[in-house]
Coordinates of all heavy atoms in Angstrom, one line a residue:
M8 N 192.9 191.0 -20.3 CA 192.9 189.7 -19.8 C 191.9 188.7 -20.6 O 190.7 189.0 -20.6 CB 192.5 189.7 -18.3 CG 192.6 188.4 -17.6 SD 192.1 188.8 -15.8 CE 193.2 187.5 -15.1
S9 N 192.3 187.7 -21.1 CA 191.4 186.8 -21.8 C 190.6 185.9 -20.9 O 191.1 185.6 -19.9 CB 192.3 185.9 -22.8 OG 193.1 185.0 -22.1
Q10 N 189.4 185.6 -21.3 CA 188.6 184.9 -20.5 C 188.9 183.3 -20.6 O 189.2 182.9 -21.7 CB 187.1 185.1 -20.9 CG 186.1 184.4 -20.0 CD 184.7 184.6 -20.4 OE1 184.4 185.3 -21.4 NE2 183.7 184.1 -19.6
E11 N 188.8 182.7 -19.4 CA 189.2 181.2 -19.5 C 188.1 180.4 -20.2 O 187.0 180.7 -19.9 CB 189.4 180.8 -18.0 CG 189.6 179.4 -17.7 CD 189.8 179.2 -16.3 OE1 191.0 179.3 -15.7 OE2 188.9 178.8 -15.5
P12 N 188.3 179.5 -21.0 CA 187.3 178.6 -21.6 C 186.5 177.9 -20.6 O 187.1 177.3 -19.6 CB 188.0 177.7 -22.6 CG 189.4 177.7 -22.2 CD 189.7 179.0 -21.4
K13 N 185.2 177.7 -20.8 CA 184.5 177.0 -19.9 C 184.9 175.5 -19.9 O 184.8 174.9 -18.8 CB 182.9 177.0 -20.3 CG 182.0 176.4 -19.4 CD 180.6 176.6 -19.6 CE 179.8 175.9 -18.6 NZ 178.4 176.0 -18.7
Y14 N 185.2 174.9 -21.0 CA 185.7 173.5 -21.0 C 187.1 173.6 -21.6 O 187.1 173.7 -22.9 CB 184.8 172.7 -21.8 CG 183.4 172.6 -21.1 CD1 182.2 173.1 -21.7 CD2 183.3 172.0 -20.0 CE1 181.0 173.2 -21.1 CE2 181.9 171.9 -19.3 CZ 180.9 172.5 -19.9 OH 179.7 172.5 -19.2
P15 N 188.2 173.3 -20.9 CA 189.6 173.5 -21.5 C 190.1 172.3 -22.2 O 190.9 171.5 -21.8 CB 190.4 173.7 -20.2 CG 189.6 173.1 -19.2 CD 188.1 173.2 -19.5
V16 N 189.4 171.9 -23.4 CA 189.8 170.9 -24.3 C 190.9 171.1 -25.0 O 191.4 172.3 -25.2 CB 188.6 170.5 -25.1 CG1 187.3 170.0 -24.3 CG2 188.3 171.4 -26.1
S17 N 191.5 170.1 -25.6 CA 192.7 170.2 -26.4 C 192.4 171.2 -27.7 O 191.2 171.3 -28.1 CB 193.1 168.8 -27.0 OG 194.0 168.9 -28.0
Q18 N 193.4 171.9 -28.2 CA 193.2 172.7 -29.4 C 192.7 171.9 -30.5 O 192.3 172.5 -31.5 CB 194.5 173.5 -29.5 CG 194.9 174.4 -28.6 CD 196.1 175.3 -28.9 OE1 196.9 175.0 -29.7 NE2 196.3 176.4 -28.1
T19 N 192.8 170.6 -30.6 CA 192.4 169.8 -31.7 C 190.9 169.7 -31.7 O 190.4 169.3 -32.7 CB 193.0 168.5 -31.8 OG1 192.7 167.7 -30.5 CG2 194.5 168.6 -31.8
Y20 N 190.2 170.2 -30.7 CA 188.7 170.1 -30.6 C 188.1 171.5 -30.6 O 188.7 172.4 -29.9 CB 188.3 169.4 -29.3 CG 188.7 167.8 -29.4 CD1 189.5 167.4 -28.5 CD2 188.1 167.0 -30.2 CE1 190.0 166.1 -28.4 CE2 188.4 165.6 -30.1 CZ 189.4 165.2 -29.4 OH 189.7 163.8 -29.3
S21 N 186.9 171.6 -31.1 CA 186.1 172.8 -30.9 C 184.9 172.3 -30.0 O 184.3 171.3 -30.3 CB 185.6 173.4 -32.1 OG 186.6 173.8 -33.0
V22 N 184.6 173.0 -28.9 CA 183.6 172.7 -28.1 C 182.2 173.1 -28.8 O 182.1 174.4 -29.1 CB 183.7 173.4 -26.7 CG1 182.4 173.2 -25.8 CG2 184.9 172.8 -26.0
L23 N 181.2 172.3 -28.9 CA 180.0 172.6 -29.4 C 179.0 172.7 -28.3 O 178.0 173.7 -28.4 CB 179.5 171.4 -30.4 CG 180.3 171.2 -31.6 CD1 179.8 170.1 -32.4 CD2 180.5 172.4 -32.4
D24 N 179.1 172.0 -27.2 CA 178.2 172.1 -26.1 C 178.8 171.3 -24.9 O 179.7 170.7 -25.1 CB 176.8 171.4 -26.5 CG 175.6 172.1 -25.7 OD1 175.8 172.8 -24.7 OD2 174.5 171.9 -26.2
G25 N 178.2 171.5 -23.7 CA 178.6 170.8 -22.6 C 177.6 170.9 -21.4 O 176.7 171.6 -21.5
Y26 N 177.8 170.0 -20.4 CA 177.1 169.9 -19.3 C 177.9 169.5 -18.1 O 178.7 168.5 -18.1 CB 176.0 168.7 -19.5 CG 175.2 168.4 -18.3 CD1 174.3 169.4 -17.7 CD2 175.5 167.4 -17.4 CE1 173.5 169.2 -16.6 CE2 174.8 167.2 -16.3 CZ 173.8 168.0 -15.8 OH 173.0 167.8 -14.8
D27 N 177.9 170.4 -17.1 CA 178.7 170.2 -15.9 C 178.0 169.1 -15.0 O 176.9 169.3 -14.5 CB 178.8 171.4 -15.1 CG 179.7 172.5 -15.7 OD1 180.3 172.2 -16.7 OD2 179.8 173.6 -15.1
I28 N 178.7 167.9 -14.9 CA 178.2 166.9 -13.9 C 178.6 167.4 -12.5 O 177.8 167.4 -11.5 CB 178.9 165.6 -14.2 CG1 178.4 165.1 -15.5 CG2 178.5 164.6 -13.1 CD1 179.0 163.9 -16.1
Y29 N 179.8 168.1 -12.4 CA 180.3 168.7 -11.1 C 181.3 169.8 -11.6 O 182.0 169.6 -12.4 CB 181.0 167.6 -10.3 CG 181.6 168.2 -9.0 CD1 180.7 168.3 -7.9 CD2 183.0 168.5 -8.9 CE1 181.2 169.0 -6.7 CE2 183.4 169.0 -7.7 CZ 182.6 169.3 -6.7 OH 183.0 169.9 -5.5
R30 N 181.2 171.0 -10.7 CA 182.1 172.0 -10.9 C 182.5 172.7 -9.6 O 181.5 173.0 -8.9 CB 181.7 173.0 -12.0 CG 182.7 174.1 -12.2 CD 182.2 175.1 -13.3 NE 182.1 174.6 -14.5 CZ 183.0 174.8 -15.5 NH1 184.1 175.6 -15.3 NH2 183.0 174.2 -16.7
S31 N 183.7 172.8 -9.3 CA 184.1 173.6 -8.1 C 185.3 174.5 -8.6 O 185.7 174.6 -9.9 CB 184.6 172.7 -7.0 OG 185.8 172.1 -7.4
N32 N 185.9 175.2 -7.7 CA 187.0 176.0 -8.0 C 188.3 175.2 -8.5 O 189.2 175.7 -9.2 CB 187.5 176.9 -6.9 CG 186.5 178.0 -6.5 OD1 185.8 178.4 -7.5 ND2 186.4 178.3 -5.3
N33 N 188.2 173.9 -8.1 CA 189.5 173.0 -8.4 C 189.2 171.8 -9.2 O 190.1 171.0 -9.6 CB 190.2 172.5 -7.0 CG 190.6 173.6 -6.2 OD1 191.3 174.5 -6.7 ND2 190.2 173.6 -4.9
L34 N 188.0 171.5 -9.5 CA 187.6 170.3 -10.3 C 186.3 170.5 -11.1 O 185.5 171.2 -10.8 CB 187.3 169.2 -9.2 CG 186.9 167.8 -9.8 CD1 188.3 167.1 -10.4 CD2 186.3 166.9 -8.6
I35 N 186.5 170.0 -12.4 CA 185.4 170.0 -13.3 C 185.2 168.6 -13.8 O 186.2 167.9 -14.3 CB 185.6 170.9 -14.6 CG1 185.9 172.3 -14.2 CG2 184.4 170.8 -15.5 CD1 186.4 173.2 -15.3
V36 N 184.0 168.1 -13.8 CA 183.7 166.9 -14.5 C 182.5 167.2 -15.4 O 181.6 167.8 -14.9 CB 183.2 165.7 -13.4 CG1 182.8 164.4 -14.1 CG2 184.3 165.5 -12.5
A37 N 182.6 166.8 -16.6 CA 181.5 167.3 -17.6 C 181.5 166.4 -18.8 O 182.4 165.7 -19.2 CB 182.0 168.7 -18.0
L38 N 180.3 166.4 -19.3 CA 180.1 165.8 -20.7 C 180.3 167.0 -21.7 O 179.6 168.0 -21.6 CB 178.6 165.3 -20.7 CG 178.4 163.9 -20.1 CD1 176.8 163.6 -20.1 CD2 179.2 162.8 -20.6
V39 N 181.0 166.8 -22.7 CA 181.3 167.8 -23.6 C 181.2 167.2 -25.1 O 181.7 166.2 -25.4 CB 182.7 168.4 -23.5 CG1 183.0 169.5 -24.4 CG2 182.9 168.8 -22.0
V40 N 180.3 167.8 -26.0 CA 180.3 167.6 -27.3 C 181.4 168.5 -28.1 O 181.5 169.6 -27.9 CB 178.9 168.1 -27.9 CG1 178.8 167.7 -29.4 CG2 177.8 167.3 -27.0
V41 N 182.2 167.6 -28.8 CA 183.4 168.3 -29.4 C 183.3 168.0 -31.0 O 182.7 167.1 -31.4 CB 184.7 167.9 -28.8 CG1 184.9 168.2 -27.5 CG2 185.0 166.3 -29.0
Q42 N 183.9 168.9 -31.7 CA 184.1 168.7 -33.2 C 185.6 168.6 -33.4 O 186.4 169.4 -32.9 CB 183.5 169.9 -33.9 CG 183.7 169.9 -35.5 CD 182.8 169.0 -36.1 OE1 181.6 169.0 -35.8 NE2 183.2 168.1 -37.0
S43 N 186.0 167.6 -34.2 CA 187.4 167.6 -34.6 C 187.4 167.3 -36.1 O 186.5 167.3 -36.8 CB 188.2 166.5 -33.8 OG 187.8 165.2 -34.3
Q44 N 188.6 167.1 -36.6 CA 188.8 166.8 -38.1 C 188.2 165.5 -38.3 O 187.8 165.2 -39.6 CB 190.2 166.8 -38.4 CG 191.1 165.6 -37.9 CD 192.6 165.8 -38.3 OE1 192.9 166.7 -39.2 NE2 193.3 164.9 -37.6
Y45 N 187.9 164.6 -37.4 CA 187.2 163.3 -37.5 C 185.9 163.3 -37.3 O 185.3 162.3 -37.4 CB 187.9 162.3 -36.7 CG 189.4 162.2 -36.8 CD1 190.2 162.8 -35.8 CD2 190.0 161.6 -37.9 CE1 191.6 162.8 -36.1 CE2 191.4 161.6 -38.1 CZ 192.2 162.2 -37.1 OH 193.6 162.2 -37.3
G46 N 185.2 164.5 -36.9 CA 183.7 164.5 -36.7 C 183.4 165.0 -35.3 O 184.3 165.5 -34.5
R47 N 182.2 164.7 -35.0 CA 181.7 165.1 -33.7 C 181.8 163.8 -32.7 O 181.7 162.7 -33.1 CB 180.2 165.5 -33.7 CG 180.0 166.8 -34.4 CD 178.7 167.2 -34.5 NE 178.5 168.5 -35.2 CZ 177.4 169.1 -35.6 NH1 176.2 168.5 -35.3 NH2 177.4 170.2 -36.2
D48 N 182.0 164.2 -31.4 CA 182.0 163.2 -30.4 C 181.5 163.7 -29.1 O 181.7 164.9 -28.8 CB 183.4 162.7 -30.2 CG 183.5 161.4 -29.5 OD1 182.6 160.7 -29.2 OD2 184.7 161.0 -29.1
L49 N 180.9 162.8 -28.3 CA 180.4 163.1 -26.9 C 181.6 162.5 -26.0 O 181.8 161.3 -26.1 CB 179.1 162.4 -26.6 CG 178.6 162.7 -25.2 CD1 178.4 164.1 -24.8 CD2 177.3 161.8 -25.0
R50 N 182.2 163.4 -25.2 CA 183.3 162.9 -24.4 C 183.1 163.3 -23.0 O 182.4 164.3 -22.6 CB 184.6 163.6 -24.8 CG 185.0 163.2 -26.3 CD 186.1 164.0 -26.9 NE 187.3 163.5 -26.1 CZ 188.2 162.6 -26.6 NH1 187.8 161.8 -27.4 NH2 189.1 162.4 -25.8
L51 N 183.7 162.4 -22.1 CA 183.5 162.6 -20.7 C 184.9 163.1 -20.2 O 185.9 162.5 -20.6 CB 183.3 161.4 -19.9 CG 183.3 161.3 -18.4 CD1 182.2 162.2 -17.9 CD2 183.1 159.9 -17.9
Y52 N 185.0 164.3 -19.5 CA 186.3 164.9 -19.0 C 186.2 165.1 -17.6 O 185.2 165.2 -17.0 CB 186.4 166.2 -19.6 CG 186.9 166.2 -21.1 CD1 186.0 166.3 -22.1 CD2 188.3 166.2 -21.3 CE1 186.5 166.3 -23.5 CE2 188.7 166.3 -22.7 CZ 187.8 166.2 -23.8 OH 188.3 166.4 -25.0
R53 N 187.4 165.0 -17.1 CA 187.6 165.4 -15.6 C 188.9 166.2 -15.6 O 190.0 165.8 -15.9 CB 187.8 164.2 -14.7 CG 188.0 164.6 -13.3 CD 188.3 163.3 -12.6 NE 189.3 163.5 -11.4 CZ 188.9 163.4 -10.1 NH1 187.7 162.8 -9.9 NH2 189.8 163.5 -9.1
W54 N 188.8 167.5 -15.3 CA 189.9 168.5 -15.1 C 190.1 168.7 -13.7 O 189.3 169.0 -12.9 CB 189.6 169.6 -15.9 CG 189.5 169.6 -17.4 CD1 190.6 169.6 -18.3 CD2 188.3 169.6 -18.1 NE1 190.0 169.5 -19.6 CE2 188.7 169.5 -19.4 CE3 187.0 169.7 -17.7 CZ2 187.8 169.5 -20.5 CZ3 186.0 169.6 -18.8 CH2 186.5 169.5 -20.1
I55 N 191.4 169.0 -13.3 CA 191.7 169.5 -12.0 C 192.7 170.7 -12.2 O 193.5 170.8 -13.2 CB 192.5 168.4 -11.3 CG1 192.6 168.8 -9.7 CG2 193.8 168.0 -11.8 CD1 192.9 167.5 -8.8
R56 N 192.4 171.7 -11.3 CA 193.3 172.9 -11.4 C 194.5 172.7 -10.7 O 194.5 172.4 -9.5 CB 192.5 174.1 -10.9 CG 193.2 175.5 -11.1 CD 192.5 176.6 -10.5 NE 191.2 176.9 -11.1 CZ 191.1 177.8 -12.0 NH1 192.1 178.3 -12.6 NH2 189.9 178.0 -12.5
K57 N 195.6 173.0 -11.4 CA 197.0 172.9 -10.7 C 197.7 174.1 -11.1 O 197.9 174.5 -12.3 CB 197.8 171.7 -11.3 CG 197.1 170.4 -10.8 CD 198.0 169.2 -11.3 CE 197.4 167.9 -10.8 NZ 198.3 166.8 -11.2
K58 N 198.1 174.8 -10.1 CA 198.9 176.1 -10.4 C 198.2 177.0 -11.4 O 198.8 177.4 -12.4 CB 200.4 175.8 -10.8 CG 201.2 175.0 -9.9 CD 202.5 174.8 -10.3 CE 203.3 173.9 -9.3 NZ 204.6 173.6 -9.8
D59 N 197.0 177.3 -11.1 CA 196.1 178.2 -11.9 C 195.9 177.7 -13.4 O 195.5 178.5 -14.3 CB 196.6 179.6 -11.9 CG 196.4 180.2 -10.6 OD1 195.4 179.8 -9.9 OD2 197.1 181.0 -10.3
Q60 N 196.2 176.4 -13.7 CA 195.9 175.8 -15.0 C 195.0 174.6 -14.9 O 195.3 173.9 -14.0 CB 197.1 175.5 -15.8 CG 198.0 176.8 -16.2 CD 199.0 176.4 -17.2 OE1 199.7 175.3 -17.1 NE2 199.4 177.2 -18.0
W61 N 194.1 174.5 -15.8 CA 193.4 173.2 -15.8 C 194.2 172.1 -16.6 O 194.6 172.3 -17.6 CB 192.0 173.4 -16.5 CG 191.1 174.2 -15.8 CD1 190.7 175.6 -16.0 CD2 190.4 173.9 -14.5 NE1 189.8 176.0 -15.1 CE2 189.6 175.0 -14.2 CE3 190.2 172.7 -13.8 CZ2 188.7 175.0 -13.0 CZ3 189.4 172.7 -12.8 CH2 188.7 173.9 -12.3
K62 N 194.2 171.0 -15.9 CA 194.8 169.8 -16.5 C 193.8 168.6 -16.5 O 193.1 168.4 -15.5 CB 196.0 169.3 -15.6 CG 197.1 170.4 -15.4 CD 197.9 170.7 -16.7 CE 199.0 171.7 -16.5 NZ 199.6 171.9 -17.7
V63 N 193.8 167.8 -17.6 CA 193.1 166.6 -17.6 C 193.4 165.7 -16.5 O 194.6 165.4 -16.4 CB 193.1 166.0 -19.0 CG1 192.4 164.7 -19.0 CG2 192.4 166.9 -20.1
D64 N 192.6 165.1 -15.9 CA 192.8 164.3 -14.8 C 192.0 163.0 -14.8 O 190.8 163.0 -14.5 CB 192.5 165.0 -13.5 CG 192.7 164.3 -12.3 OD1 193.9 163.7 -12.0 OD2 191.8 164.0 -11.4
L65 N 192.7 161.9 -15.2 CA 192.1 160.6 -15.1 C 191.1 160.3 -16.3 O 191.0 159.1 -16.7 CB 191.4 160.3 -13.9 CG 192.4 160.2 -12.7 CD1 191.5 160.0 -11.4 CD2 193.4 159.2 -12.8
C66 N 190.5 161.2 -16.9 CA 189.3 161.0 -17.8 C 189.3 161.9 -18.9 O 189.1 163.0 -18.8 CB 188.0 161.0 -16.8 SG 186.7 160.4 -17.6
R67 N 189.3 161.3 -20.1 CA 189.0 162.0 -21.4 C 188.6 161.0 -22.4 O 189.7 160.3 -23.0 CB 190.2 162.9 -21.8 CG 191.4 162.2 -22.0 CD 192.4 163.2 -22.7 NE 193.6 162.6 -22.9 CZ 194.8 162.9 -22.4 NH1 194.8 164.1 -21.8 NH2 195.8 162.3 -22.6
M68 N 187.5 160.7 -22.5 CA 187.2 159.5 -23.4 C 185.7 159.8 -24.1 O 185.0 160.5 -23.6 CB 187.0 158.2 -22.5 CG 185.8 158.2 -21.6 SD 185.7 156.8 -20.6 CE 187.0 157.0 -19.4
G69 N 185.6 159.2 -25.2 CA 184.3 159.2 -26.0 C 183.3 158.4 -25.2 O 183.6 157.2 -24.9
V70 N 182.1 158.8 -25.1 CA 181.1 158.2 -24.4 C 179.8 158.1 -25.3 O 178.8 157.7 -24.8 CB 180.9 158.7 -23.0 CG1 182.1 158.5 -22.1 CG2 180.6 160.1 -23.0
G71 N 180.0 158.4 -26.5 CA 178.7 158.6 -27.2 C 178.0 157.2 -27.5 O 176.7 157.2 -27.7
K72 N 178.7 156.1 -27.4 CA 178.1 154.8 -27.6 C 177.6 154.2 -26.2 O 177.1 153.0 -26.3 CB 179.0 153.8 -28.3 CG 179.3 154.4 -29.7 CD 180.3 153.5 -30.5 CE 180.4 153.9 -31.8 NZ 181.4 153.2 -32.7
W73 N 177.8 154.9 -25.1 CA 177.3 154.3 -23.9 C 175.8 154.2 -23.9 O 175.1 155.0 -24.6 CB 177.8 155.2 -22.7 CG 179.2 155.2 -22.5 CD1 180.3 154.5 -23.1 CD2 179.8 155.7 -21.3 NE1 181.5 154.7 -22.5 CE2 181.2 155.4 -21.3 CE3 179.5 156.4 -20.1 CZ2 182.2 155.8 -20.5 CZ3 180.4 156.7 -19.3 CH2 181.7 156.5 -19.3
K74 N 175.3 153.3 -23.1 CA 173.9 153.1 -23.0 C 173.3 154.0 -21.8 O 173.1 153.6 -20.7 CB 173.4 151.7 -22.7 CG 174.0 150.8 -23.8 CD 173.8 149.2 -23.3 CE 174.3 148.4 -24.5 NZ 174.3 147.0 -24.1
W75 N 173.0 155.3 -22.2 CA 172.7 156.3 -21.3 C 171.3 156.1 -20.6 O 171.3 156.4 -19.3 CB 172.6 157.7 -22.0 CG 174.0 158.2 -22.4 CD1 174.6 158.1 -23.6 CD2 175.0 158.6 -21.4 NE1 175.9 158.5 -23.5 CE2 176.2 158.8 -22.2 CE3 175.0 158.9 -20.0 CZ2 177.4 159.3 -21.6 CZ3 176.1 159.2 -19.4 CH2 177.3 159.6 -20.3
D76 N 170.4 155.5 -21.1 CA 169.2 155.1 -20.4 C 169.5 154.2 -19.3 O 168.9 154.3 -18.2 CB 168.1 154.6 -21.4 CG 167.5 155.6 -22.3 OD1 167.6 156.9 -21.9 OD2 167.0 155.3 -23.4
E77 N 170.2 153.2 -19.7 CA 170.6 152.2 -18.5 C 171.4 152.8 -17.5 O 171.3 152.4 -16.3 CB 171.3 151.0 -19.2 CG 170.5 150.1 -20.1 CD 171.3 149.0 -20.8 OE1 172.3 148.7 -20.3 OE2 170.9 148.6 -21.9
I78 N 172.4 153.7 -17.9 CA 173.3 154.3 -16.9 C 172.4 155.2 -15.9 O 172.7 155.1 -14.8 CB 174.4 155.2 -17.6 CG1 175.4 154.2 -18.3 CG2 175.2 156.0 -16.6 CD1 176.3 154.9 -19.3
A79 N 171.5 155.9 -16.6 CA 170.7 156.8 -15.7 C 169.8 156.0 -14.9 O 169.5 156.4 -13.6 CB 169.8 157.7 -16.6
A80 N 169.2 154.9 -15.3 CA 168.4 154.1 -14.5 C 169.3 153.4 -13.3 O 168.7 153.3 -12.1 CB 167.7 152.8 -15.4
K81 N 170.4 153.0 -13.6 CA 171.3 152.4 -12.6 C 171.7 153.4 -11.5 O 171.7 153.2 -10.4 CB 172.5 151.6 -13.2 CG 173.4 151.0 -12.2 CD 172.6 149.9 -11.5 CE 172.3 148.7 -12.3 NZ 171.7 147.6 -11.5
A82 N 172.0 154.6 -11.9 CA 172.4 155.7 -11.1 C 171.2 156.0 -10.1 O 171.2 156.1 -8.9 CB 172.8 156.9 -11.9
K83 N 169.9 156.1 -10.7 CA 168.8 156.3 -9.9 C 168.5 155.3 -8.9 O 168.2 155.5 -7.8 CB 167.6 156.5 -10.9 CG 166.3 156.9 -10.1 CD 165.1 157.1 -11.1 CE 163.9 157.4 -10.3 NZ 162.7 157.5 -11.1
E84 N 168.7 154.0 -9.4 CA 168.6 152.8 -8.5 C 169.5 152.9 -7.3 O 169.1 152.7 -6.2 CB 168.8 151.5 -9.2 CG 168.9 150.3 -8.4 CD 169.3 149.1 -9.2 OE1 169.1 149.0 -10.4 OE2 169.9 148.3 -8.6
F85 N 170.8 153.2 -7.5 CA 171.7 153.4 -6.4 C 171.5 154.5 -5.5 O 171.6 154.3 -4.3 CB 173.1 153.5 -7.0 CG 173.7 152.3 -7.7 CD1 174.7 152.3 -8.6 CD2 173.3 151.0 -7.4 CE1 175.4 151.2 -9.1 CE2 173.9 149.8 -7.9 CZ 174.8 150.1 -8.8
V86 N 171.0 155.6 -6.0 CA 170.7 156.8 -5.2 C 169.6 156.3 -4.2 O 169.6 156.6 -3.0 CB 170.2 158.0 -6.1 CG1 169.4 159.0 -5.2 CG2 171.5 158.6 -6.7
E87 N 168.5 155.6 -4.7 CA 167.5 155.2 -3.9 C 167.9 154.1 -2.9 O 167.6 154.1 -1.8 CB 166.2 154.8 -4.7 CG 165.6 156.0 -5.5 CD 164.5 155.7 -6.5 OE1 164.3 154.4 -6.7 OE2 164.0 156.5 -7.2
K88 N 168.5 153.1 -3.4 CA 168.9 151.9 -2.7 C 169.9 152.3 -1.5 O 169.7 151.7 -0.4 CB 169.8 150.9 -3.7 CG 170.1 149.6 -2.9 CD 170.7 148.7 -3.9 CE 171.2 147.4 -3.3 NZ 171.8 146.4 -4.3
Y89 N 170.8 153.2 -1.7 CA 171.7 153.6 -0.7 C 171.5 154.9 0.0 O 172.2 155.4 0.6 CB 173.1 153.6 -1.3 CG 173.5 152.1 -1.7 CD1 173.5 151.7 -3.1 CD2 173.9 151.2 -0.8 CE1 173.9 150.4 -3.5 CE2 174.4 149.9 -1.1 CZ 174.1 149.5 -2.6 OH 174.5 148.2 -2.9
N90 N 170.2 155.5 -0.3 CA 169.8 156.7 0.3 C 170.8 157.8 0.2 O 171.3 158.4 1.1 CB 169.5 156.4 1.8 CG 168.7 157.6 2.4 OD1 167.9 158.2 1.6 ND2 168.8 157.9 3.7
L91 N 171.1 158.0 -1.2 CA 172.2 159.0 -1.5 C 171.5 160.5 -1.8 O 172.2 161.3 -2.3 CB 173.1 158.5 -2.7 CG 173.8 157.2 -2.5 CD1 174.4 156.9 -3.7 CD2 174.7 157.3 -1.3
K92 N 170.5 160.7 -1.5 CA 169.6 161.9 -1.9 C 169.9 163.1 -1.1 O 169.5 164.1 -1.4 CB 168.1 161.6 -1.9 CG 167.7 160.6 -2.7 CD 166.1 160.2 -2.5 CE 165.7 159.1 -3.4 NZ 164.4 158.8 -3.2
G93 N 170.6 162.9 0.1 CA 170.6 164.1 1.0 C 171.9 164.9 1.0 O 172.6 164.8 -0.1
G94 N 172.3 165.6 2.1 CA 173.4 166.5 2.1 C 174.6 165.9 2.3 O 175.7 166.6 2.3
Q95 N 174.8 164.5 2.3 CA 176.1 163.9 2.4 C 176.7 163.9 1.0 O 176.1 163.5 0.1 CB 176.1 162.5 2.9 CG 175.7 162.4 4.4 CD 175.6 160.9 4.8 OE1 175.6 160.0 4.1 NE2 175.4 160.8 6.2
S96 N 178.0 164.4 0.9 CA 178.7 164.3 -0.3 C 180.2 164.1 0.1 O 180.6 164.3 1.1 CB 178.5 165.5 -1.1 OG 179.0 166.7 -0.3
A97 N 180.9 163.6 -0.8 CA 182.3 163.4 -0.7 C 183.0 164.8 -0.6 O 182.6 165.8 -1.0 CB 182.8 162.8 -2.0
P98 N 184.1 164.9 0.1 CA 184.9 166.2 0.3 C 185.3 166.6 -0.9 O 185.6 165.8 -1.9 CB 185.9 165.8 1.3 CG 186.2 164.4 1.3 CD 184.7 163.8 0.8
E99 N 185.5 167.9 -1.1 CA 186.0 168.6 -2.4 C 187.4 168.2 -2.5 O 188.2 168.3 -1.6 CB 185.8 170.1 -2.3 CG 186.2 170.8 -3.7 CD 186.0 172.2 -3.6 OE1 184.9 172.7 -3.2 OE2 186.9 172.9 -4.0
E100 N 187.8 167.7 -3.8 CA 189.2 167.4 -4.1 C 190.0 168.7 -4.3 O 189.6 169.6 -4.9 CB 189.1 166.5 -5.2 CG 188.4 165.1 -5.0 CD 188.5 164.3 -6.1 OE1 189.4 164.2 -6.9 OE2 187.5 163.5 -6.3
T101 N 191.3 168.6 -3.8 CA 192.2 169.6 -4.2 C 193.4 169.1 -4.8 O 193.7 168.0 -4.6 CB 192.5 170.5 -2.8 OG1 193.2 169.4 -1.8 CG2 191.3 171.0 -2.2
G102 N 194.2 170.0 -5.4 CA 195.4 169.6 -6.1 C 196.5 169.6 -5.1 O 197.5 169.1 -4.8

């Protein structure tokens, strides 16, 4: 039995590294560094499990040029402003 890849990207990419933003049995949201014939890219992915297979769901885009310091600062601001630090979270999504 072959092991499932941690990040099920297209065969046109090789995964160099990745970071799970969120992972459950049915959903993965991750930043993934990929290599292709065009070079390296930082991409944002969202996969959903359907019938025991991971499928890209809504999101697969290059994000290497995003202003990450600003994004992190804004996320931190929202967490504090709206008191999002606790045990409340959105329900787990299912297929």
Side-chain angles (χ1 to χ4, degrees):
M8 182 180 216
S9 66
Q10 185 178 6
E11 181 176 272
K13 183 170 183 181
Y14 301 111
V16 300
S17 163
Q18 291 182 348
T19 59
Y20 294 113
S21 297
V22 173
L23 302 178
D24 209 344
Y26 173 75
D27 290 357
I28 296 169
Y29 177 81
R30 182 178 288 260
S31 71
N32 290 332
N33 297 315
L34 184 69
I35 302 170
V36 179
L38 287 172
V39 183
V40 181
V41 295
Q42 175 80 46
S43 75
Q44 65 181 356
Y45 304 107
R47 293 179 179 174
D48 195 13
L49 175 63
R50 298 175 64 87
L51 175 65
Y52 281 93
R53 175 183 155 122
W54 293 278
I55 192 162
R56 187 185 293 272
K57 293 184 179 181
K58 298 181 182 178
D59 289 332
Q60 288 191 330
W61 289 106
K62 302 289 184 183
V63 170
D64 178 52
L65 299 177
C66 194
R67 61 170 175 237
M68 65 182 78
V70 295
K72 295 182 180 179
W73 287 12
K74 298 175 182 174
W75 287 102
D76 290 339
E77 292 177 25
I78 293 168
K81 185 56 74 173
K83 183 178 179 183
E84 174 189 325
F85 287 159
V86 165
E87 291 172 1
K88 181 177 181 179
Y89 295 100
N90 196 26
L91 303 174
K92 297 177 187 171
Q95 291 183 347
S96 63
E99 183 175 313
E100 298 179 31
T101 59

